[in-house]
Amino acid sequence: MVKVLYVPLDERACNYTYPSLLADMTDDIELLVPDYDWMGFCKRPADCEKLWQWVFERAPECEYAILS
């Protein structure tokens, strides 16, 4: 199984939810996505410190990364 680290552009479903749903339709992709609460919302910025910490903790176990 291929592990992919995915940091969405923002909290909108087209960026956060739908890619996970698409990855769940396959048997050979595991999409690692940060916690929804860390994402920005409308005019509230994301928690960048937590996102970067998560990226550095999880990146070694992944073969690919998508950083929006």
Side-chain angles (χ1 to χ4, degrees), residues 17-54:
T17 307
Y18 296 162
S20 294
L21 293 174
L22 289 171
D24 289 344
M25 291 180 184
T26 69
D27 293 331
D28 51 348
I29 297 176
E30 181 181 352
L31 196 65
L32 302 178
V33 183
D35 191 78
Y36 184 82
D37 293 333
W38 301 342
M39 304 304 300
F41 185 76
C42 293
K43 296 190 182 231
R44 186 194 70 194
D47 190 338
C48 293
E49 287 185 32
K50 285 186 180 179
L51 287 172
W52 277 117
Q53 180 182 0
W54 179 82

